[in-house]
Amino acid sequence: MRGATHAKWAACAVAVTLAATACGGGGDSGGGGGGGGGANGVVRSSWGDPQNPLEPANTNEVQGGKVLDMVFRGLKRYDPKTGKAKDMLAEKIDTKDSTNFDITVKSGWTFSNGEKITAQSFVDAWNYGANLKNDQKNAYFFGQIDGYEKVHPESGKASATKLSGLKVTGERTFTVKLNQKFSTWPETLGYVAFAPLPKSFFKDHDNWLSKPIGNGPYTVQSYAKGSQMSLRKWGKYPGSDKAQNGGVDLKVYTDNNTAYTDLTAGNLDLVDDVPASQLKNVKSDLGDRYLNPPAGIIQTLAFPFYSKAWNTPDGAKVRKGLSMAINRKQITDTIFQKTRTPASDWTSPVLGEDGGFKKGLCGEACEYKPDEAKKLVKEGGGLPGGQVKIGYNADTGSHKEWVDAVCNSINNALDNDRACVGDPTGTFADFRNKITQKKMTGPFRAGWQMDYPLIQNFLQPLYYTNASSNDGKWTNKQFDKLIDQANAEADTAKAVEKFQQAEGVLRDQMGAIALWYQNGSAGYSEQISNVSLNPFSVPVYSQIKVK
């Protein structure tokens, strides 16, 4: 998930108020974090407006993802401590050949409007997500299912509306046929794109967008764009991870420094993005109420390969030169107070060596070597247009500070104080819109928060040809071939080796610049307890208790 670069809810949902009953009920609205307290107390947390409406197959960014993680549950769920995929609505998923899967859905589950969840709830949702006419950003995740090329062709009109690889075989059973072997495919099913959908989603889509109905521990009570989204506990939620509070108010901030100030002033309970400028103060301000655990997040710089200027025969030399002009250690030490770690590959240490992390795979391309950097940029034909403009959103994430630091490092290495400048966009949503509309003219920040803890997720969605989050439109046949071979490999160790070979192709062509691995960074008030971040760096809202 384009973690450090995602958002949802569309213009059609602006300032719409949702009735709690229309969302299928919910708990008592409770008080604020410092108010009602107890089981009905409401957590007040910082947030940013998402990019589009809350459709599971159309949300590929963090802000919308936070909400969907509270409102939906799928066949699998990732353990909030270990990140391992565990059965949620799946009673069992069987396969003999890593191509054909038999899935049984647990009984007793309903949506918050009382509708029973069946195999059809999943099959209809997946067919909708894959269908070309629905233009879902996560359609690519259904690409492994047989018939996808007819439902979602790369060009021209679709010749089918349903995936031939999906078959309902009973009220709680369905089969899935993939178009190639994918031994770890079941582990991807905790991703929100694979969530089930109620009949109302299809019968009255526009109304559903304004009044989402899911099957998670919370329901959406109201949303006012630019202000707040309120979620409330669903009292009849059948899962084991029931909400330990009355709800969550997600308050929109366009400046995380303001959110931090509100936290320390007692006007907010939780900030899950402590600004870089406050890291030097956070320990004295919050003590052990500051969290900084490892997370499956990497910050990178992507390039607009759809621009001829950045897609030249010798362009890899320029990109590698820019990478070697960045003093990662100095930036992570000073700007981020050592709460980030310089990247040496394109995955994350949370995967572990067995899971695909390979320290040092990037080699010298990720080391600070200013003389070599200057030489490579010159050999590659120089900077396109004579200057690099790094795009970023200015509203969250302390991005101005680190982008300025990256540019200073590049300028020093190239002996040119105008070689690099920051190119801010006011809001995250506008920034994402520019990216998806292919309007970027230079490198841009492309942080990635894993959707599921597999090395495949750090590579295929971002760099495979026409992949869902391949925002720069990089393409390489050898990379694609190795990814396909890795997915087909039943032996996990051999699959990891193939993925790392593909990562080597990414390195040699510098399809993106790996910057640093990111820890989760959150602070909370004295009014709440039992606060933690999962391996995706998202607060485990349902476990939070209000005093």
Side-chain angles (χ1 to χ4, degrees):
M1 183 170 287
R2 213 117 325 253
T5 52
H6 280 183
K8 233 150 186 93
W9 274 92
C12 65
V14 174
V16 64
T17 299
L18 316 179
T21 53
C23 294
D28 189 323
S29 61
N40 290 325
V42 175
V43 181
R44 303 164 300 175
S45 182
S46 63
W47 190 53
D49 278 315
Q51 182 183 11
N52 298 313
L54 291 179
E55 297 175 274
N58 202 33
T59 298
N60 67 344
E61 44 69 37
V62 168
Q63 305 304 336
K66 290 175 185 175
V67 177
L68 292 179
D69 187 57
M70 289 190 271
V71 176
F72 281 96
R73 290 293 180 265
L75 292 168
K76 295 276 189 177
R77 179 154 180 79
Y78 301 113
D79 187 283
K81 290 185 178 179
T82 67
K84 298 296 184 184
K86 295 184 177 180
D87 288 342
M88 180 54 80
L89 270 73
E91 184 173 293
K92 59 180 179 179
I93 301 176
D94 295 326
T95 185
K96 294 180 180 178
D97 58 7
S98 297
T99 301
N100 294 280
F101 295 83
D102 296 315
I103 298 176
T104 302
V105 180
K106 289 179 181 177
S107 61
W109 279 80
T110 68
F111 292 101
S112 59
N113 64 354
E115 179 188 328
K116 183 186 295 184
I117 297 176
T118 66
Q120 197 72 52
S121 306
F122 286 95
V123 171
D124 287 347
W126 295 7
N127 277 324
Y128 179 89
N131 198 318
L132 179 65
K133 73 175 184 179
N134 298 324
D135 193 28
Q136 300 290 281
K137 287 182 170 59
N138 286 328
Y140 181 76
F141 283 91
F142 304 100
Q144 292 94 356
I145 301 175
D146 216 32
Y148 181 78
E149 73 284 353
K150 293 183 178 180
V151 172
H152 202 113
E154 292 186 12
S155 60
K157 294 183 178 180
S159 58
T161 58
K162 296 182 179 180
L163 294 161
S164 60
L166 294 180
K167 302 289 184 185
V168 174
T169 55
E171 184 179 61
R172 294 192 295 116
T173 59
F174 67 105
T175 60
V176 182
K177 181 180 180 181
L178 304 185
N179 49 34
Q180 66 176 50
K181 288 186 177 181
F182 191 174
S183 59
T184 55
W185 180 75
E187 295 181 45
T188 72
L189 299 179
Y191 184 46
V192 71
F194 295 103
L197 287 169
K199 294 176 182 177
S200 58
F201 178 89
F202 308 99
K203 291 181 178 179
D204 191 355
H205 190 235
D206 289 342
N207 189 49
W208 189 94
L209 289 179
S210 64
K211 300 175 182 179
I213 295 171
N215 66 319
Y218 294 93
T219 60
V220 177
Q221 183 185 64
S222 64
Y223 174 55
K225 187 177 176 66
S227 178
Q228 176 174 301
M229 176 178 283
S230 294
L231 299 105
R232 293 297 179 263
K233 176 173 60 179
W234 176 29
K236 295 182 179 180
Y237 173 64
S240 59
D241 56 333
K242 299 179 187 296
Q244 302 300 303
N245 50 66
V248 181
D249 283 344
L250 298 172
K251 297 177 179 291
V252 176
Y253 287 86
T254 57
D255 182 352
N256 59 353
N257 282 287
T258 303
Y260 185 82
T261 299
D262 276 355
L263 172 67
T264 55
N267 299 321
L268 197 65
D269 297 314
L270 176 62
V271 170
D272 64 352
D273 181 17
V274 175
S277 60
Q278 297 294 343
L279 291 174
K280 61 182 180 295
N281 305 317
V282 70
K283 282 291 186 180
S284 59
D285 288 344
L286 303 177
D288 59 6
R289 288 182 286 111
Y290 171 62
L291 305 176
N292 188 229
I297 302 175
I298 185 172
Q299 190 74 232
T300 64
L301 288 180
F303 292 87
F305 287 94
Y306 45 79
S307 168
K308 290 183 179 179
W310 286 101
N311 197 5
T312 63
D314 289 327
K317 289 185 177 181
V318 175
R319 297 189 294 275
K320 184 178 179 181
L322 288 172
S323 177
M324 297 174 75
I326 299 171
N327 192 333
R328 293 164 176 78
K329 186 178 187 305
Q330 184 182 67
I331 293 170
T332 54
D333 283 357
T334 57
I335 300 296
F336 294 114
Q337 301 291 304
K338 298 184 179 181
T339 61
R340 308 286 193 274
T341 304
S344 60
D345 86 328
W346 282 261
T347 67
S348 168
V350 301
L351 295 178
E353 292 184 4
D354 291 342
F357 171 65
K358 188 174 183 179
K359 186 177 181 179
L361 185 145
C362 185
E364 68 170 7
C366 289
E367 297 173 6
Y368 180 57
K369 295 188 173 183
D371 292 339
E372 183 68 12
K374 189 175 182 179
K375 176 185 175 184
L376 284 171
V377 170
K378 184 177 180 180
E379 289 178 356
L383 301 177
Q387 186 180 60
V388 174
K389 294 182 178 181
I390 299 179
Y392 67 95
N393 59 296
D395 56 343
T396 61
S398 306
H399 301 306
K400 182 182 188 305
E401 289 90 340
W402 72 255
V403 169
D404 286 349
V406 165
C407 278
N408 286 336
S409 184
I410 291 173
N411 292 341
N412 290 335
L414 302 186
D415 293 327
N416 179 352
D417 60 7
R418 296 296 296 169
C420 180
V421 295
D423 183 21
T425 298
T427 68
F428 179 72
D430 288 343
F431 178 61
R432 286 300 305 164
N433 286 333
K434 287 171 67 174
I435 290 172
T436 55
Q437 293 166 15
K438 297 194 290 188
K439 293 183 177 179
M440 306 307 290
T441 59
F444 52 95
R445 80 167 195 90
W448 182 254
Q449 175 199 62
M450 66 181 182
D451 301 306
Y452 41 85
L454 297 176
I455 181 176
Q456 179 263 357
N457 187 241
F458 282 91
L459 300 176
Q460 188 165 356
L462 283 83
Y463 308 115
Y464 195 92
T465 301
N466 294 324
S468 59
S469 294
N470 187 347
D471 291 333
K473 305 305 176 185
W474 183 70
T475 179
N476 184 281
K477 291 182 179 179
Q478 181 63 13
F479 178 90
D480 292 353
K481 180 181 178 181
L482 288 165
I483 292 293
D484 290 341
Q485 292 175 350
N487 283 333
E489 181 57 65
D491 184 287
T492 300
K494 291 180 180 178
V496 165
E497 185 179 347
K498 286 290 184 183
F499 280 123
Q500 290 176 337
Q501 289 177 22
E503 197 176 351
V505 175
L506 175 66
R507 171 200 61 212
D508 295 342
Q509 294 300 313
M510 197 53 66
I513 293 176
L515 294 175
W516 40 77
Y517 310 119
Q518 186 169 324
N519 280 7
S521 182
Y524 59 96
S525 75
E526 295 178 341
Q527 300 301 322
I528 60 176
S529 63
N530 206 36
V531 183
S532 64
L533 299 178
N534 64 23
F536 303 87
S537 189
V538 173
V540 187
Y541 293 103
S542 62
Q543 294 182 358
I544 297 175
K545 296 181 180 180
V546 181
K547 297 178 181 179

